[in-house]
Amino acid sequence: MPHFANPLLRNIIIKSPFDSIKWQKCFQYLKTLRTLQYDGFKTIYFGETDIPESLITGEDFSDGYFMQSPIWCIVHAGGSQGWVPWKYRMFLRDELCVRQEESLFFEFCDVAKKAYGRCAIVVKDATRQAEMRRKENKESQAEAHVPSIINLTSIVCCPEVAKSHGHELLSLPSPYNYLTPLDSAWSSLKWFIINNRKEFCLQAIDNACEYQYILLSSLISKGIERINPSKWRMLTNKVRRWENYYLGKFS
């Protein structure tokens, strides 16, 4: 007969000494965000996702043969009112040339100010999360929320740039990445690509070869367009419920 551990004992085994630090950081983030929201700031979520070329072409590597394919990086933002009316950017992530665009965040902040006024810009920063995990063994207490530069793959998000436009830049603490609706929006985009890529594909055949052309820009734009304001409201409402749950739990 299977033996199940006592639930209390199981929690004691699984929880680490640094869980309370993570919870307090999340609580501090949520309090800061909610204060800004009460002060009239609009919440928008800014981030990026990777689109492998194999996802676009539908190449099958199940036979064991694998060839490294290029990866596209898409940068965009959205909130309860839908996608921010800013022209999203798409970069080819090339191992031979990796550079970050500093001017794009300035442009984004300017567009967000004209569209919404003051905004709380929430960014999930993988680089900073990795550094935080390495430092956790040296920390003994939770730190107050201190804005710092957030490096995405292609864009540098600077709090001074955000403040110059009247915004506040917030870093989403790890491991509470589901407190942003942007990941769900990216998932919807990738499913759209998988299910509709053939409709954006042109083929040509000559005497020696068969060519396949994919209208990538149109495919991405249509997928982003399909995630309409109604879908965004549903995603942000789900995040809001999680926020209310944690605020009630930690307070």
Side-chain angles (χ1 to χ4, degrees):
M1 182 176 180
H3 174 71
F4 297 96
N6 182 285
L8 179 60
L9 179 61
R10 184 163 59 246
N11 287 337
I12 294 174
I13 294 174
I14 294 175
K15 288 185 177 180
S16 73
F18 303 102
D19 281 346
S20 60
I21 297 176
K22 294 177 182 178
W23 292 344
Q24 290 179 54
K25 287 179 179 178
C26 180
F27 185 46
Q28 183 64 43
Y29 158 78
L30 291 174
K31 286 200 304 180
T32 302
L33 177 61
R34 194 54 52 90
T35 299
L36 292 172
Q37 290 171 340
Y38 288 153
D39 287 342
F41 284 72
K42 296 290 184 182
T43 306
I44 54 179
Y45 301 87
F46 185 79
E48 62 186 3
T49 190
D50 287 342
I51 306 290
E53 193 168 278
S54 58
L55 183 74
I56 300 168
T57 60
E59 291 178 283
D60 185 10
F61 298 108
S62 60
D63 57 358
Y65 176 76
F66 176 76
M67 181 177 64
Q68 183 68 38
S69 62
I71 297 177
W72 295 90
C73 180
I74 300 177
V75 183
H76 208 351
S80 60
Q81 295 178 301
W83 293 105
V84 175
W86 175 71
K87 177 59 179 176
Y88 70 88
R89 295 300 197 275
M90 187 163 59
F91 301 95
L92 180 61
R93 180 177 290 184
D94 191 336
E95 294 181 352
L96 300 177
C97 180
V98 179
R99 64 188 181 90
Q100 292 176 317
E101 297 286 349
E102 298 184 5
S103 61
L104 286 182
F105 188 65
F106 183 94
E107 175 192 316
F108 171 80
C109 289
D110 187 55
V111 171
K113 181 180 181 180
K114 293 177 181 177
Y116 307 122
R118 299 182 302 168
C119 297
I121 304 174
V122 179
V123 180
K124 182 178 69 173
D125 175 26
T127 302
R128 189 177 175 201
Q129 290 167 9
E131 293 174 353
M132 289 170 60
R133 285 194 292 269
R134 288 195 298 267
K135 293 179 180 178
E136 277 180 348
N137 292 333
K138 300 179 181 179
E139 294 179 344
S140 58
Q141 60 183 8
E143 299 176 359
H145 172 77
V146 180
S148 61
I149 292 177
I150 301 176
N151 291 292
L152 299 182
T153 302
S154 304
I155 294 181
V156 176
C157 303
C158 180
E160 285 74 20
V161 172
K163 284 182 177 294
S164 69
H165 291 82
H167 308 313
E168 290 291 339
L169 180 65
L170 301 180
S171 177
L172 182 63
S174 174
Y176 301 95
N177 296 333
Y178 50 88
L179 292 179
T180 169
L182 198 53
D183 283 359
S184 296
W186 294 139
S187 296
S188 296
L189 172 61
K190 291 175 182 179
W191 275 113
F192 177 86
I193 293 173
I194 292 172
N195 294 327
N196 298 274
R197 56 195 171 201
K198 291 183 179 179
E199 299 178 15
F200 295 82
C201 179
L202 302 176
Q203 290 184 328
I205 302 176
D206 61 17
N207 295 332
C209 300
E210 178 179 347
Y211 300 94
Q212 178 177 263
Y213 301 91
I214 296 179
L215 306 176
L216 179 58
S217 180
S218 298
L219 175 60
I220 297 297
S221 296
K222 192 64 176 179
I224 288 176
E225 181 183 321
R226 288 289 296 272
I227 309 170
N228 54 36
S230 177
K231 175 75 171 179
W232 267 105
R233 282 193 295 272
M234 182 186 71
L235 296 177
T236 53
N237 286 339
K238 182 179 179 180
V239 170
R240 183 82 173 191
R241 288 194 294 270
W242 275 112
E243 292 174 352
N244 292 338
Y245 168 76
Y246 281 121
L247 284 170
K249 179 180 179 180
F250 296 154
S251 60

